[in-house]
Amino acid sequence: FDPFDADEYIERLAWRTPGGGSKGGAEAFDPKRLLEEFKNHIEELKLLDERIQRRVEKLEQQCQKEAKEFARKVQDLQKSNQVAFQHFQELDDHISYVATKVCHLGDQLEGVNTPRQRAVEAQRLMTYFNEFLDGELRSDVFNNPDKIKEAADIIQKLHLILIQEFTAAQRRGEIARMREVAAVLLHFKGYAHCVDVYIKQCQEGAYFRDDIFEDTALLCQRVNKQVGEVFSSPETIMAKLIQNIFENKLQNFVRDKLEESRKTDAEQYLKDLYDLYTRMTALAGKLTEFNLGTDKQTFLSKLIKNIFSSYLENYIDTEREYLKSRSTMILQRYYESKHHQKRTLGAGGIQDLKERIRQRTNLPLGPSIDTHGETFLSQEVVVNLLQETKHAFERCHRLSDPPDLPKNAFSIFLLLVDYLCVDHIDYALEIGLAAIPSPDSKNANLYFLDVVQQANTIFHLFDKQFNDHLMPLISSSPKLTECLHKKKEVIEQMEVKLDTGIDRTLNCMVGQMKHILATEQKKTDFKPEDENNVMIQYTNACAKVCAYVNKQVERVRNSMDGKNIDTVLTELGVRFHRLIHEHLQQFTYSSMGGMLAICDVAEYRRCAKEFKVPLVLQLFDTLHALCNLLVVAPDNLKQVCSGDQLTNLDRNLLHGFVQLRADYRSARLGRHFS
């Protein structure tokens, strides 16, 4: 529906009322009748309003009643839900109670069988004991020398003798005797003692080299060959042996190695921790070749965790603190070697505001700083920072708990960003921007391109480490997006400063060209006194500008890479063309002067070819064609302007070049041009 329009409504009402139209209508205008009609209509509207209002009130009352009814139903449902939840809790408690009873019953059933077996053994032993009391050893087990094993089974104290026998047999290397004694002791407490003795004796003389991990591997290989021939459950014995080695020999070795450097030398501590954990993990990998029970991976992992848990729980804090300290020292030593006191950038204040405005504009807000050509970027510093971070990533990969690995790796990456990108690269860019001279400076050292070149090299190294060492640690975690965003944010911030510096450097280049032209170009160059004795191919100003431009093109090529070269050279070429175009429009040209201008532009065009940018060459081709307007015969102006290179140009631009001719007014060239 269209919105209500009161004026339109009144108009329709007036037109429907007889005598309510305009005076020029079919009936004469009757204001009284119209007024009466309005009054009646107003009364009807009032009645209608009252009816609608009553209906609204009735609907509101009905709505309130239904809302109360709905609230009551919700309350009832909540009460029902509470009752159901209470029943559920009672059921859960009952299930737990029943489960407890079942477990207890199982324990009782198991407890009944064991005493029964013991009772049978006790009855047999009582029988043998009666024989000892009577003094008559009637049973064959006590009379037959070949049945020493059965006799030992009866007489418990015999196990002490057997353990001594086992020890002696182990030292003599008598495997068969060891197997016999172990089989006899299998069902007695002495068996555990026998195993302990075996584990202790097999380690004697095993550790005689400097490599405790290699010694352990060789020991386990030797024992694994033997243990199956001696014991009925070799996997249990191997597991006990390995557990004993880990909990005593290896744990003590790790503790002695790490506790010494933990409080005094963070670098050595981290190296030792990484080395020990790596070698311990490698040893565990070798030990998985042996049968150690059902879940040997979990068994070995638990042993390693017990040894290193106190060192690994706060590993990343130690790593980050060391990396901070090491990175700070690397940067501090570098700036001290340059005898440079780092400036506080972005600290606020009028001076800082002036510098930032000067960096981003061409306003002369005071002299720029002089760094004497120093870029304050060091590839050695960068390599050292990246190398330290690389080691940190490697340790992080090895020592972090798998769920914490992406988070820990990201925290190391943030430190790299702080020290490499912010404290070193970004600082150098800020200093470089502040050192760029104003465009009207003469013989300025435009070393910001050196900053760009070194920054590009560093970016490649930074990106390589990001891809080679960080990405594998976070590629399958949500931290990947965060890392990529941080990297993009940092690089974009530095690219803005690089773009600003390059833009201002190009302005300085153009300013230097402008200075050369203003100093070297004479008005008589294009309006010589003797038209017949001009011997030069192009003017001295042109030669010096081209030499300067060629040098700058080479600097850009050496400082940039990839598409950046074409982008910067395109911008430099466009500004170069604009300068020459505006410069040529400052002079009046005789016939010979026009030829010299064409020669100059031809030389500029040869210079433009070195840019290897089609757009720049096209601009100078067009400028060369424009210069033909300075020398062409008046009658041929229209034909030249209609040529391929000039036909699409603005007529005012063409006319502007024609007006530069010395004979413009005398020859009435405007008439030919139009």
Side-chain angles (χ1 to χ4, degrees):
F1 298 102
D2 294 332
F4 178 72
D5 188 338
D7 293 340
E8 183 182 353
Y9 183 79
I10 296 299
E11 281 294 330
R12 289 202 306 270
L13 181 60
W15 278 105
R16 288 201 304 269
T17 303
S22 63
K23 293 181 180 180
E27 296 185 25
F29 178 71
D30 188 350
K32 291 183 178 180
R33 190 172 181 181
L34 183 60
L35 176 60
E36 186 65 26
E37 183 64 24
F38 280 172
K39 288 180 179 179
N40 293 336
H41 199 75
I42 289 171
E43 291 300 324
E44 291 177 1
L45 290 175
K46 287 180 179 178
L47 293 174
L48 179 60
D49 180 63
E50 291 175 358
R51 286 198 301 271
I52 292 175
Q53 187 62 33
R54 286 195 298 271
R55 185 179 179 188
V56 167
E57 291 175 354
K58 183 178 179 180
L59 290 174
E60 287 178 345
Q61 291 174 354
Q62 184 179 354
C63 180
Q64 291 174 353
K65 182 179 178 181
E66 291 180 355
K68 290 179 180 179
E69 181 64 22
F70 180 75
R72 187 186 62 77
K73 289 182 178 179
V74 169
Q75 271 188 330
D76 292 342
L77 289 173
Q78 286 179 334
K79 290 179 180 178
S80 299
N81 184 57
Q82 288 177 348
V83 172
F85 184 73
Q86 184 177 359
H87 289 169
F88 175 77
Q89 283 186 321
E90 292 174 355
L91 180 60
D92 186 56
D93 293 341
H94 189 64
I95 290 174
S96 300
Y97 175 77
V98 172
T100 304
K101 287 292 184 181
V102 170
C103 292
H104 180 64
L105 181 60
D107 293 338
Q108 287 180 325
L109 290 174
E110 184 178 356
V112 168
N113 185 50
T114 302
R116 187 186 64 80
Q117 290 180 341
R118 289 178 178 174
V120 173
E121 293 293 330
Q123 183 183 17
R124 185 181 299 118
L125 288 175
M126 288 172 68
T127 302
Y128 293 139
F129 186 68
N130 286 332
E131 293 184 14
F132 277 102
L133 291 177
D134 295 341
E136 297 180 9
L137 299 178
R138 296 181 296 276
S139 298
D140 183 60
V141 68
F142 298 122
N143 296 307
N144 190 343
D146 295 332
K147 295 186 176 181
I148 181 98
K149 288 183 281 186
E150 289 83 348
D153 221 6
I154 299 170
I155 307 171
Q156 283 194 348
K157 290 185 178 180
L158 190 61
H159 77 270
L160 296 174
I161 301 172
L162 290 177
I163 289 175
Q164 293 176 359
E165 179 66 19
F166 181 89
T167 303
Q170 184 179 0
R171 287 175 178 167
R172 295 192 301 267
E174 297 176 355
I175 303 298
R177 184 59 178 161
M178 291 170 63
R179 182 172 58 249
E180 278 185 332
V181 176
V184 173
L185 294 172
L186 180 61
H187 301 293
F188 298 94
K189 294 181 180 179
Y191 183 75
H193 193 185
C194 175
V195 172
D196 293 339
V197 168
Y198 176 78
I199 289 175
K200 180 180 178 181
Q201 276 203 172
C202 68
Q203 295 182 58
E204 293 178 357
Y207 295 94
F208 58 89
R209 282 183 292 244
D210 292 334
D211 193 338
I212 189 174
F213 299 99
E214 184 64 24
D215 284 341
T216 298
L218 293 174
L219 168 63
C220 291
Q221 287 176 357
R222 175 170 57 83
V223 171
N224 187 62
K225 293 178 181 177
Q226 184 184 81
V227 73
E229 301 175 0
V230 176
F231 298 99
S232 59
S233 55
E235 68 279 358
T236 304
I237 309 303
M238 281 301 297
K240 279 191 174 184
L241 170 65
I242 291 172
Q243 182 175 355
N244 181 271
I245 294 173
F246 270 75
E247 292 179 349
N248 294 283
K249 199 78 176 177
L250 296 180
Q251 184 162 356
N252 292 335
F253 177 77
V254 169
R255 184 188 300 114
D256 294 342
K257 191 83 171 175
L258 293 181
E259 291 299 330
E260 183 179 349
S261 60
R262 189 174 193 176
K263 299 177 181 178
T264 58
D265 190 343
E267 180 180 13
Q268 190 61 45
Y269 168 73
L270 288 170
K271 287 181 178 178
D272 288 344
L273 178 59
Y274 175 77
D275 179 62
L276 291 172
Y277 191 83
T278 300
R279 295 169 69 189
M280 191 79 76
T281 306
L283 172 63
K286 293 179 180 178
L287 299 182
T288 55
E289 300 173 2
F290 309 132
N291 184 8
L292 306 177
T294 54
D295 195 353
K296 50 189 173 184
Q297 293 283 1
T298 304
F299 171 70
L300 292 169
S301 298
K302 186 176 180 180
L303 292 177
I304 294 176
K305 185 177 181 181
N306 289 339
I307 294 176
F308 287 96
S309 59
S310 62
Y311 305 105
L312 297 183
E313 61 185 3
N314 59 352
Y315 149 72
I316 193 61
D317 296 331
T318 306
E319 185 73 79
R320 293 182 76 255
E321 287 303 316
Y322 168 70
L323 190 56
K324 285 181 185 178
S325 172
R326 181 66 180 165
S327 300
T328 299
M329 185 186 69
I330 291 172
L331 291 175
Q332 185 176 346
R333 285 181 178 177
Y334 168 70
Y335 293 117
E336 286 176 354
S337 71
K338 297 294 181 182
H339 305 290
H340 175 73
Q341 181 66 39
K342 285 194 77 173
R343 301 171 48 150
T344 303
L345 301 174
I350 298 298
Q351 202 61 33
D352 178 67
L353 178 61
K354 283 185 176 181
E355 182 169 308
R356 290 185 176 277
I357 294 175
R358 192 188 65 77
Q359 288 173 5
R360 289 160 176 76
T361 66
N362 295 324
L363 299 177
L365 298 176
S368 60
I369 66 172
D370 188 359
T371 60
H372 306 287
E374 177 60 58
T375 63
F376 290 106
L377 283 174
S378 168
Q379 190 162 337
E380 181 181 357
V381 167
V382 172
V383 169
N384 287 337
L385 290 175
L386 291 175
Q387 189 71 9
E388 292 293 342
T389 312
K390 174 187 173 184
H391 293 325
F393 280 136
E394 290 172 346
R395 289 191 290 264
C396 176
H397 188 195
R398 175 72 66 183
L399 302 176
S400 294
D401 197 31
D404 296 332
L405 176 58
K407 177 185 66 176
N408 292 347
F410 182 61
S411 69
I412 293 173
F413 172 67
L414 290 180
L415 290 179
L416 176 64
V417 169
D418 285 342
Y419 287 97
L420 175 63
C421 299
V422 178
D423 287 355
H424 191 58
I425 306 176
D426 191 71
Y427 176 77
L429 294 180
E430 290 281 1
I431 293 295
L433 285 172
I436 297 176
S438 61
D440 55 358
S441 299
K442 301 174 183 178
N443 300 319
N445 182 11
L446 305 180
Y447 89 101
F448 190 81
L449 290 180
D450 297 334
V451 177
V452 174
Q453 179 186 13
Q454 293 183 31
N456 280 337
T457 301
I458 294 172
F459 283 161
H460 289 311
L461 294 174
F462 172 75
D463 194 55
K464 187 176 189 305
Q465 183 168 90
F466 183 91
N467 293 325
D468 292 351
H469 297 100
L470 177 60
M471 284 293 287
L473 309 185
I474 61 171
S475 58
S476 58
S477 79
K479 281 291 179 183
L480 174 61
T481 303
E482 199 171 348
C483 280
L484 292 173
H485 176 74
K486 184 65 178 179
K487 176 190 172 187
K488 180 182 178 183
E489 178 185 36
V490 169
I491 291 181
E492 284 180 350
Q493 288 174 354
M494 289 190 283
E495 283 179 345
V496 168
K497 294 179 181 179
L498 286 171
D499 291 344
T500 301
I502 292 171
D503 180 71
R504 295 188 61 244
T505 299
L506 295 181
N507 284 341
C508 291
M509 290 179 181
V510 173
Q512 190 67 26
M513 297 179 216
K514 188 180 294 185
H515 174 69
I516 294 173
L517 291 173
T519 305
E520 302 293 334
Q521 196 84 73
K522 306 292 187 286
K523 290 187 177 181
T524 55
D525 286 348
F526 302 119
K527 198 174 181 182
E529 296 177 358
D530 188 352
E531 293 276 325
N532 298 319
N533 289 323
V534 178
M535 304 299 294
I536 60 175
Q537 294 179 340
Y538 42 82
T539 66
N540 186 47
C542 172
K544 289 191 174 183
V545 167
C546 288
Y548 178 79
V549 171
N550 286 333
K551 183 179 178 181
Q552 303 314 310
V553 169
E554 186 64 24
R555 288 193 67 185
V556 170
R557 291 195 186 281
N558 292 335
S559 304
M560 309 288 169
D561 59 2
K563 295 181 180 180
N564 293 330
I565 297 177
D566 290 341
T567 302
V568 175
L569 287 181
T570 299
E571 185 62 28
L572 176 61
V574 169
R575 298 186 190 189
F576 175 36
H577 166 266
R578 186 186 304 123
L579 173 67
I580 301 302
H581 186 278
E582 293 173 353
H583 173 72
L584 292 175
Q585 291 180 316
Q586 299 175 10
F587 300 92
T588 301
Y589 300 87
S590 64
S591 177
M592 181 53 68
M595 293 300 297
L596 277 174
I598 291 176
C599 292
D600 273 7
V601 174
E603 187 64 19
Y604 290 136
R605 185 171 60 176
R606 268 196 298 274
C607 180
K609 288 182 180 179
E610 296 301 319
F611 285 70
K612 297 180 181 178
V613 177
L615 172 63
V616 176
L617 188 59
Q618 179 184 350
L619 289 173
F620 278 94
D621 285 342
T622 303
L623 183 60
H624 189 269
L626 280 171
C627 288
N628 287 329
L629 298 177
L630 302 175
V631 298
V632 70
D635 293 339
N636 294 333
L637 278 174
K638 283 189 177 181
Q639 180 182 355
V640 173
C641 290
S642 301
D644 292 341
Q645 290 181 312
L646 300 181
T647 185
N648 293 325
L649 296 183
D650 184 79
R651 304 295 290 178
N652 293 328
L653 175 61
L654 300 175
H655 195 187
F657 260 81
V658 173
Q659 288 178 319
L660 301 177
R661 294 170 57 132
D663 61 351
Y664 176 73
R665 296 188 180 280
S666 60
R668 299 180 67 187
L669 292 180
R671 172 173 53 83
H672 292 284
F673 184 77
S674 59

